[in-house]
Amino acid sequence: MEPSSHMEAAPGAANALAVRPFGGRESGQSARTAADCAVRIAGLTKTYRSNWSLKTTRGLESLNLEVQRGEVFGYLGPNGAGKTTTLKILTGLLKPTSGSAWLLGEPIENVSSRARLGFLPEQPYFYDYLNGVEYLEFVARLSGMPAQPALKAARRWLGRVGLGEREKLVLRKYSKGMLQRLGLAAALVHDPELIILDEPMSGLDPFGRRDVRDLILEQRERGVTVMFSSHILPDVETLCDRVAILLRGRLERVATVGELVEGGGARIEFRCAGEPLLELPVAWRECLTRAQRTGETFFTLTDASQQQAVLGWLVARGVEVRAVTPQRNTLEELFMAAAESSAIQASRERRSA
Amino acid sequence: MNAVLIAQNTFREAIRDRVLAGMVVAGLVMLALAQIARPLAMGEGLRLTVDLGLSSITMLGLLAVMLVGTSLVAKEIERRTIFNLLSRPLPRSVYLIGKWAGLSGALWVVSGILGLALWGVLALLGRGAFWAPIAQAVYLAGLELTVVTAIAVMFSALSTPVLSSLYTLGFFLAGQWCDDLREFATRAPGSLRTMLEWIANLLPNFSLFNVRTLASVGETTTAMHLGLASGYALLYCACVLALAAAAFESRDFK
């Protein structure tokens, strides 16, 4: 699904994301070895081929990416961008068409690379004939824990995600939110060093989302690496040290949240009383816009160096300036702008082809 | 170790699934019906009881494999419960072996219960000495179901539940006539003969596991036959599961 085109993009946001395509040496991969990273991906490509029409579709294209140990890494992209494909390749559920990847220094082809991994799939499903403790004990033992510690960890984690009072309840009676919590407990029950979560906030109410956020932060404090995909961008902005934006199977950008947001260009908003009749000077037409809402006029300036000049110009014309507020682009605005820019580019490529 | 965990879980699923409980109940009903029909069997009541009792183990076992076994892996893929397993340090081949072992174990338990029930009825009829032929026949029926389960797991890993059921049933029926096919091959000309012999060799020879006729008259088979059947079943299961694992290894779970 393409992002909705009617949403207004923040000024300058598209440029901020388009300027630094990620890959090759720019990512600094040559200096680090796979063992230094929690996740290292080199030239990962995945194409799907239909059994009937033999038509191939691209899921992922030459992806290069590194996730450092101990960081919380957000993996963003619209539906169909290739996020789940990447995560499934890393966790052994899909085979890459080409390229390599390592988890905690071990190639993903080795089954043992998943011993220290915790994974929460998107919309997790479970054996509905088991109860919560039985399920968590089972998966903990599959990850290598001995029987007794696995049972203890299962009970502890069931309580930790708020399901401890319903130990004996079979999973077929769990609600969607309860299943999501159980999935999270299953990803964490064996104390992994790396956690990969595919849409961990999906299906959760605000309390559930807060609990997941707390769990992720708790894991970061323990030194655990967390890589997660999400559509809930305010959560990503709050939690992540770095984010990657994936569009149409290609990596558009990897940066810290701060870099992305600052790089999007700051704006300054002047809130003025009434609806003054003013003609904007020609010199500021590129950087100053006007909007009227509920009896007030809002001037938005995208060039911070002109702040004093604009303020002086408004005051000189008798306008009552009620507030001057610096505005920051949100990750959501930047993301939407990048998605739109990519969609336009793809459309151009199609036309020229 | 992980194969044991998967087997335990599959065993638990099979037991809680009620299909196997239904199989036990159906087997007991068959035995009861045999007792009702015994006076009409013109002196062959004992034979009827043994035949029906042993046949019901194989037939109900086959039904359970068709209902549970052929969707054993396909259902996990469809419901995506497999994601939580294969994203752990669990080789895909071990997963398949565990699935096969778990369901086979459950079928052995059910076969054992029905075998005991049959022996109980025979003991009540004053034929408690039939325990050895019954034990042998139940053992061989268990081996037969183990082979059928391996075939079902293979198809389940590679196909849909409906197709898996059809393929498994096809193999079961073809395997029953394996000796007839081999006999027919001896009369066929040239290349057809070679082809039929190859097919007969590839199909599971289920007649090797059938000692019902002997058991119904209270006779036992030889230790060599039991050993040969055990070795054949193990080898056949190993080949089928190796084939399944090789194909399953490259499968994508979208």
Side-chain angles (χ1 to χ4, degrees):
Chain A
M1 195 180 75
E2 296 302 331
S4 56
S5 56
H6 66 272
M7 288 192 71
E8 196 180 335
N15 286 342
L17 287 165
V19 287
R20 244 179 38 178
F22 184 81
R25 286 181 186 169
E26 237 186 316
S27 64
Q29 284 176 6
S30 53
R32 281 187 289 265
T33 63
D36 296 330
C37 305
V39 178
R40 184 173 182 224
I41 296 171
L44 209 61
T45 298
K46 179 68 184 174
T47 50
Y48 297 103
R49 199 163 115 161
S50 162
N51 287 338
W52 300 105
S53 63
L54 299 180
K55 194 180 157 191
T56 54
T57 45
R58 183 186 63 204
L60 212 55
E61 194 172 302
S62 298
L63 178 69
N64 295 298
L65 187 67
E66 285 177 355
V67 178
Q68 302 308 314
R69 287 180 189 250
E71 75 175 334
V72 178
F73 191 87
Y75 202 45
L76 309 181
N79 291 342
K83 301 187 301 295
T84 298
T85 299
T86 313
L87 302 187
K88 281 188 177 172
I89 290 173
L90 290 176
T91 52
L93 298 171
L94 291 178
K95 303 284 175 187
T97 308
S98 63
S100 313
W102 294 261
L103 296 179
L104 300 163
E106 232 184 308
I108 55 167
E109 293 78 23
N110 296 356
V111 171
S112 56
S113 69
R114 302 196 278 276
R116 292 171 292 162
L117 166 74
F119 175 55
L120 171 71
E122 188 179 7
Q123 294 172 341
Y125 290 83
F126 306 99
Y127 298 113
D128 53 13
Y129 54 88
L130 296 181
N131 64 42
V133 172
E134 285 173 339
Y135 182 75
L136 290 182
E137 186 202 357
F138 171 55
V139 293
R141 291 186 68 190
L142 275 182
S143 285
M145 281 182 101
Q148 276 307 314
L151 182 62
K152 273 174 99 174
R155 292 218 161 94
R156 184 164 54 86
W157 273 102
L158 203 65
R160 183 72 186 78
V161 296
L163 301 169
E165 289 174 7
R166 300 172 183 195
E167 244 181 39
K168 300 287 176 195
L169 187 71
V170 287
L171 302 186
R172 75 170 68 91
K173 294 184 179 169
Y174 272 38
S175 69
K176 195 180 170 192
M178 288 164 79
L179 289 173
Q180 189 76 4
R181 285 162 183 264
L182 183 75
L184 207 60
L188 295 165
V189 69
H190 55 294
D191 290 329
E193 285 176 41
L194 166 66
I195 303 166
I196 294 179
L197 311 169
D198 195 358
E199 299 290 347
M201 318 287 185
S202 164
L204 292 177
D205 59 21
F207 297 107
R209 274 174 56 195
R210 186 196 58 197
D211 291 346
V212 173
R213 280 200 301 269
D214 290 348
L215 271 176
I216 290 175
L217 291 172
E218 185 189 297
Q219 293 303 312
R220 177 166 62 182
E221 277 171 25
R222 287 183 54 237
V224 173
T225 310
V226 183
M227 180 183 187
F228 74 98
S229 71
S230 181
H231 283 120
I232 302 170
L233 297 177
D235 288 338
V236 174
E237 207 170 338
T238 312
L239 290 169
C240 294
D241 297 308
R242 289 196 304 148
V243 295
I245 296 179
L246 194 70
L247 297 168
R248 311 171 73 83
R250 293 178 190 163
L251 197 59
E252 286 290 316
R253 183 81 194 267
V254 181
T256 63
V257 172
E259 276 171 6
L260 278 179
V261 170
E262 296 305 325
R267 289 170 293 155
I268 295 154
E269 188 181 76
F270 300 83
R271 183 160 67 90
C272 304
E275 296 178 358
L277 288 169
L278 292 174
E279 191 181 341
L280 298 181
V282 177
W284 292 339
R285 281 215 177 127
E286 292 294 313
C287 61
L288 189 66
T289 55
R290 172 171 47 194
Q292 284 166 346
R293 294 196 293 269
T294 58
E296 290 186 321
T297 302
F298 293 81
F299 293 92
T300 305
L301 178 69
T302 54
D303 182 356
S305 67
Q306 298 296 313
Q307 180 184 336
Q308 289 304 321
V310 171
L311 184 61
W313 174 72
L314 288 169
V315 172
R317 274 150 189 79
V319 177
E320 184 193 334
V321 179
R322 288 178 172 167
V324 179
T325 319
Q327 301 277 307
R328 212 181 62 150
N329 287 312
T330 64
L331 188 58
E332 187 162 332
E333 287 169 325
L334 292 163
F335 174 73
M336 297 307 291
E340 274 180 24
S341 153
S342 168
I344 291 164
Q345 174 136 6
S347 158
R348 279 193 198 129
E349 281 172 12
R350 273 199 302 273
R351 274 202 297 272
S352 63
Chain B
M1 181 59 197
N2 274 348
V4 176
L5 284 173
I6 298 288
Q8 280 173 347
N9 193 51
T10 308
F11 183 86
R12 186 159 48 182
E13 177 182 10
I15 297 298
R16 292 185 186 177
D17 200 13
R18 295 181 193 163
V19 170
L20 297 186
M23 186 180 153
V24 172
V25 171
L28 296 176
V29 169
M30 296 277 270
L31 273 179
L33 286 176
Q35 298 322 297
I36 294 166
R38 206 156 51 86
L40 309 172
M42 294 186 294
E44 295 289 330
L46 190 70
R47 194 183 177 128
L48 177 78
T49 303
V50 176
D51 247 353
L52 205 64
L54 292 175
S55 298
S56 65
I57 291 176
T58 304
M59 289 302 130
L60 292 170
L62 176 68
L63 189 68
V65 173
M66 301 287 283
L67 291 174
V68 181
T70 54
S71 60
L72 207 59
V73 180
K75 191 174 73 182
E76 288 230 49
I77 296 169
E78 198 181 299
R79 292 187 183 174
R80 295 189 266 173
T81 47
I82 201 167
F83 290 5
N84 294 309
L85 306 186
L86 297 186
S87 58
R88 293 179 189 271
L90 174 69
R92 292 184 182 192
S93 53
V94 170
Y95 166 79
L96 285 183
I97 290 168
K99 284 293 198 186
W100 162 75
L103 183 58
S104 298
L107 289 171
W108 274 100
V109 169
V110 173
S111 302
I113 291 170
L114 290 178
L116 271 175
L118 175 61
W119 175 76
V121 170
L122 292 175
L124 286 175
L125 297 173
R127 300 294 177 136
F130 270 42
W131 69 268
I134 297 299
Q136 284 184 347
V138 170
Y139 173 71
L140 290 171
L143 284 181
E144 185 176 18
L145 290 175
T146 304
V147 174
V148 181
T149 305
I151 294 168
V153 166
M154 177 179 73
F155 287 127
S156 178
L158 308 174
S159 188
T160 62
V162 174
L163 287 176
S164 305
S165 297
L166 289 174
Y167 296 149
T168 306
L169 184 64
F171 260 72
F172 179 79
L173 294 176
Q176 298 295 330
W177 295 312
C178 205
D179 281 345
D180 296 332
L181 187 65
R182 200 168 277 117
E183 176 64 29
F184 181 69
T186 57
R187 292 178 221 157
S191 56
L192 181 64
R193 176 183 180 162
T194 314
M195 193 180 79
L196 288 174
E197 277 174 354
W198 265 100
I199 293 172
N201 287 335
L202 288 175
L203 287 171
N205 187 357
F206 286 132
S207 55
L208 195 61
F209 305 111
N210 187 352
V211 290
R212 285 192 290 272
T213 313
L214 277 181
S216 63
V217 290
E219 286 182 24
T220 55
T221 186
T222 61
M224 181 183 261
H225 178 202
L226 292 176
L228 194 70
S230 305
Y232 177 78
L234 278 175
L235 189 66
Y236 202 89
C237 288
C239 291
V240 167
L241 291 173
L243 212 64
F248 197 57
E249 195 57 45
S250 58
R251 187 162 178 179
D252 275 345
F253 301 105
K254 291 179 192 168

